[in-house]
Amino acid sequence: METDNIASSERFSPEILGFMQLAIDQAKLALDSLEVPVGCVIVEDGNVIAAGRNRTNETRNATRHAEMEALDVLIIQWQRTGFTAAEVAEKFSACSLYVTCEPCIMCAAALSIIGIKEVYYGCANDKFGGCGSILSLHSSSSEAGISIGNCGSKGFKCCGGIMASEAVSLLRDFYEQGNPNAPKPHRSRVTQA
Amino acid sequence: MSGEDGGAWQIVHVPGRPPVPPDQQLTVNVVAAQIEQPKLTNTIIRRLSQIAPLEDLHHVKRVKKKCIEGGQIQLSVILCLAPENGDFDGIPCDVKDVINSYQLSPFVAKVCKYAASSKEEWVEQCKLWPTSYHPPTYNISGITGFSEEDSQSVVSFMKYALELAKSHGNVVVNAAAIVDPLSNQVIARACDEVCSLQTPKTEASAECGGPGQVKTSISCLHPRWWVDEQTGRSSSFCHPLRHAAIVAIESSAARDRRLFPDVRYKDESTIEECVLSPANSQVKRQKTDANDVDNDDKNDTAYGNGDLSSRPYLCTGNDIYLVWEPCIMCAMALVHQRIRRVFYACPNPSAGALGSVHRLQGEKSLNHHYAVFRVVVPQDVLDKVELSMISGS
Ligand SMILES: [Zn+2]
Ligand SMILES: [Zn+2]
């Protein structure tokens, strides 16, 4: 599993940079809505099939990270289409996620549970990161899966450092203006991450 | 495991790092002496803390009290660290002066090198020489033990969670109850909603209902179970990420929005139906649940009439009761939502994140730390809720 933390964006293909720009656009939407600016898109066969941005302040649910939002969009949509669990699993295994910040431990676990194919992220998340910073959930496939088929966790390919400076500068903008939704000053750092 | 004799409920703190077996705790040698005249104790201690402070042993108490026959109390004091070679000639001159002026008889004693990380470790340490116990979360009540009243409250909420887990017919699921300990109220409750077989009022099918299959339907034990061959072929899947703890957090957030509406987000109900609820059937059921909780809210005097100044921040101060130890996704979700204490009944050896596989409560980099407790359920209670076979005990 590679976790390539290269600051320079020149190393990445125009396709990767293009999708990351869409994720950054989502992060900007979050910033406009007074949310911690993290955004993502999910790509299948070169097409964006879902987007998400952080909504933790609006929902008062600190688990509503961009990744969870985007995954829910697809799960609900596919469920309405009438796909079986096996079909849903197969579709996710062909999907790539582009997210502006390294998925946190919770989101990395969720991505492993749904069985995403690969993750491209912007800046590292040195407080909560689940793809190398604190834990490496992308590279761990649990032994528990052996005895009971697919029941363990599933690893995924992971690559970081894509347009990281853009992602960081959005986060800096947010923290400089403070978190206006927080009820008290010491609560001004509701973090998605 | 202690439930086996049918015995008592137990609440066991699960510390942030694995407990060190008492015989494997690192110790250091110190020079100590008995104080024959107790009234001199304070004077001696004051003098020693000036001339020989115990720099790296702040957790070690300077004086050891021991009750001897006849109700007498024997006091010993640590004079200084033992000289490297164990030779008393190496004792600093100032300390030698103290020894001589009070006619002390120095001896070598062992003390624990590091502060205890759990109450159990601390109890063991004190057998050697008394230490103080101040874990990072020491101000969270329960870490140093529960009062009788608090224990009973913990037991009753765990029973509530066990009943909840059992409320799905033959299909056993994980269950979660978020509790506000100030008002002693359940403010949110949920069961796994990963598979539609887990939703209430559904007859258990042959696939999931058999005793041998039951275990795998508990979301946090086997998070990838939803793609299992048996479930994969049926079209009745719900949502692979709707583990009980996640659903309970969602429900507590919905309650927060109801009690403390924010004019900035008027389209809230639309969001809830489109984004947060995966299926139509679930929307209906959630509305039913919401009605129940609404009724609870009317009796909720703790928060008044939605006065924003009393609005809680996420789940700060709240506890969660889970039947099974949460997986890493759920455990991190509970960190994000600022839960104060996590209680679980059954360890999760395949994917548990609070002691079994990971120990998230010990990750220093996180911005919030909750205290974790395992509630050991007596065998007869497990039998009654028919969870004994899968409890891992
Ligand atoms: Zn996240
Ligand atoms: Zn879980």
Side-chain angles (χ1 to χ4, degrees):
Chain A
M1 305 288 158
E2 49 193 288
T3 306
D4 206 356
N5 279 307
I6 312 267
S8 152
S9 289
E10 278 99 66
R11 298 183 38 135
F12 300 105
S13 74
E15 195 199 14
I16 289 175
L17 294 175
F19 288 130
M20 189 56 81
Q21 183 58 53
L22 295 175
I24 285 177
D25 292 345
Q26 287 293 314
K28 284 178 181 160
L29 284 179
L31 187 64
D32 292 343
S33 309
L34 312 176
E35 299 278 358
V36 178
V38 177
C40 73
V41 293
I42 295 177
V43 174
E44 181 193 43
D45 293 333
N47 300 308
V48 172
I49 56 168
R53 65 158 177 90
N54 188 19
R55 308 182 97 95
T56 56
N57 286 336
E58 175 188 335
T59 56
R60 298 185 213 168
N61 180 339
T63 72
R64 298 314 299 172
H65 291 184
E67 300 93 317
M68 301 298 259
E69 290 281 321
L71 291 176
D72 271 3
V73 167
L74 290 179
I75 291 166
I76 293 161
Q77 185 187 317
W78 290 341
Q79 192 177 46
R80 283 181 182 158
T81 313
F83 286 141
T84 64
E87 286 166 331
V88 168
E90 200 186 319
K91 285 188 82 73
F92 272 129
S93 71
C95 285
S96 310
L97 173 84
Y98 292 78
V99 58
T100 56
C101 183
E102 177 189 352
C104 75
I105 289 166
M106 172 188 74
C107 291
L111 291 162
S112 151
I113 291 171
I114 60 106
I116 200 113
K117 181 183 160 206
E118 56 191 1
V119 171
Y120 297 92
Y121 67 82
C123 58
N125 182 343
D126 46 347
K127 262 190 184 158
F128 310 116
C131 297
S133 289
I134 307 299
L135 294 180
S136 295
L137 299 171
H138 63 295
S139 62
S140 59
S141 290
S142 98
E143 318 79 59
I146 295 166
S147 56
I148 31 165
N150 280 317
C151 296
S153 55
K154 187 174 167 291
F156 49 86
K157 196 182 146 215
C158 199
C159 174
I162 302 149
M163 299 171 76
S165 55
E166 284 91 333
V168 169
S169 85
L170 281 174
L171 289 166
R172 200 176 292 133
D173 288 350
F174 177 80
Y175 288 121
E176 272 169 13
Q177 79 185 24
N179 185 344
N181 199 43
K184 285 180 187 163
H186 72 274
R187 291 170 178 169
S188 66
R189 297 205 170 188
V190 181
T191 33
Q192 131 110 16
Chain B
M1 195 165 297
S2 38
E4 238 116 334
D5 52 2
W9 290 81
Q10 277 182 62
I11 309 168
V12 184
H13 177 225
V14 185
R17 63 175 171 83
V20 181
D23 55 333
Q24 284 172 34
Q25 296 206 37
L26 287 178
T27 59
V28 287
N29 288 343
V30 294
V31 180
Q34 255 184 52
I35 303 176
E36 307 293 350
Q37 297 165 276
K39 60 183 177 188
L40 292 176
T41 312
N42 282 341
T43 318
I44 296 175
I45 291 172
R46 219 172 297 133
R47 178 98 184 94
L48 286 169
S49 58
Q50 282 165 7
I51 59 173
L54 299 174
E55 293 292 357
D56 295 322
L57 297 172
H58 289 301
H59 59 287
V60 177
K61 297 201 169 167
R62 194 97 204 196
V63 175
K64 176 183 182 176
K65 278 186 196 174
K66 194 177 161 194
C67 289
I68 53 171
E69 276 176 56
Q72 294 265 64
I73 289 177
Q74 193 184 73
L75 295 174
S76 309
V77 63
I78 296 176
L79 299 172
C80 60
L81 288 174
E84 298 254 318
N85 52 10
D87 185 349
F88 283 178
D89 285 344
I91 292 174
C93 294
D94 288 345
V95 177
K96 275 184 184 158
D97 287 348
V98 173
I99 292 172
N100 293 333
S101 52
Y102 296 100
Q103 292 166 337
L104 303 175
S105 321
F107 61 89
V108 172
K110 281 189 191 302
V111 301
C112 283
K113 188 171 180 183
Y114 299 111
S117 68
S118 69
K119 198 186 163 201
E120 290 65 37
E121 240 177 76
W122 174 63
V123 168
E124 289 302 323
Q125 289 197 343
C126 290
K127 289 177 185 168
L128 219 51
W129 189 282
T131 59
S132 53
Y133 177 47
H134 288 301
T137 46
Y138 75 97
N139 54 343
I140 297 178
S141 71
I143 299 257
T144 49
F146 287 84
S147 70
E148 188 57 34
E149 193 191 345
D150 290 345
S151 306
Q152 273 170 13
S153 160
V154 167
V155 165
S156 74
F157 285 122
M158 188 52 82
K159 279 183 181 163
Y160 180 95
L162 290 166
E163 287 295 330
L164 208 55
K166 204 210 150 192
S167 63
H168 288 58
N170 290 340
V171 183
V172 179
V173 295
N174 203 356
I178 299 179
V179 169
D180 176 2
L182 291 179
S183 60
N184 237 21
Q185 268 186 328
V186 174
I187 60 167
R189 59 173 187 272
C191 290
D192 286 340
E193 293 178 2
V194 168
C195 160
S196 64
L197 298 173
Q198 295 167 334
T199 55
K201 290 171 199 147
T202 308
E203 292 285 316
S205 75
E207 284 175 330
C208 274
Q213 300 271 330
V214 162
K215 189 170 184 170
T216 55
S217 69
I218 295 147
S219 64
C220 287
L221 286 187
H222 305 291
R224 288 276 291 163
W225 163 76
W226 69 281
V227 279
D228 187 272
E229 268 206 52
Q230 299 285 318
T231 42
R233 264 186 262 120
S234 84
S235 60
S236 58
F237 96 102
C238 267
H239 193 310
L241 304 177
R242 289 183 71 82
H243 294 197
I246 301 281
V247 184
I249 287 172
E250 183 185 295
S251 164
S252 75
R255 175 182 181 273
D256 184 8
R257 298 193 304 268
R258 261 196 322 276
L259 285 176
F260 305 97
D262 187 331
V263 286
R264 264 181 295 173
Y265 305 116
K266 281 178 197 147
D267 53 346
E268 191 174 288
S269 58
T270 329
I271 293 161
E272 202 167 333
E273 284 185 17
C274 296
V275 178
L276 301 179
S277 305
N280 286 332
S281 63
Q282 254 174 302
V283 172
K284 277 184 213 134
R285 193 162 39 70
Q286 281 195 340
K287 281 184 178 157
T288 321
D289 279 353
N291 288 339
D292 293 351
V293 177
D294 264 334
N295 290 334
D296 295 346
D297 289 346
K298 284 180 189 130
N299 304 323
D300 189 345
T301 50
Y303 296 134
N305 321 315
D307 172 14
L308 278 180
S309 65
S310 64
R311 176 183 147 189
Y313 176 63
L314 303 174
C315 283
T316 301
N318 293 341
D319 300 334
I320 191 167
Y321 291 79
L322 291 158
V323 176
W324 274 274
E325 178 188 355
C327 71
I328 190 83
M329 175 181 73
C330 292
M332 190 61 202
L334 298 173
V335 172
H336 285 316
Q337 200 68 10
R338 304 293 202 278
I339 287 282
R340 182 181 69 146
R341 300 187 295 186
V342 181
F343 296 89
Y344 65 80
C346 308
N348 171 354
S350 56
L354 300 180
S356 295
V357 177
H358 299 283
R359 216 174 258 268
L360 198 65
Q361 68 270 44
E363 285 295 341
K364 292 215 168 61
S365 74
L366 305 181
N367 62 344
H368 171 75
H369 293 91
Y370 44 59
V372 178
F373 300 90
R374 177 173 172 217
V375 179
V376 180
V377 182
Q379 192 61 38
D380 56 315
V381 177
L382 286 176
D383 289 343
K384 222 162 86 192
V385 293
E386 289 156 16
L387 292 171
S388 54
M389 141 186 96
I390 39 159
S391 67
S393 60

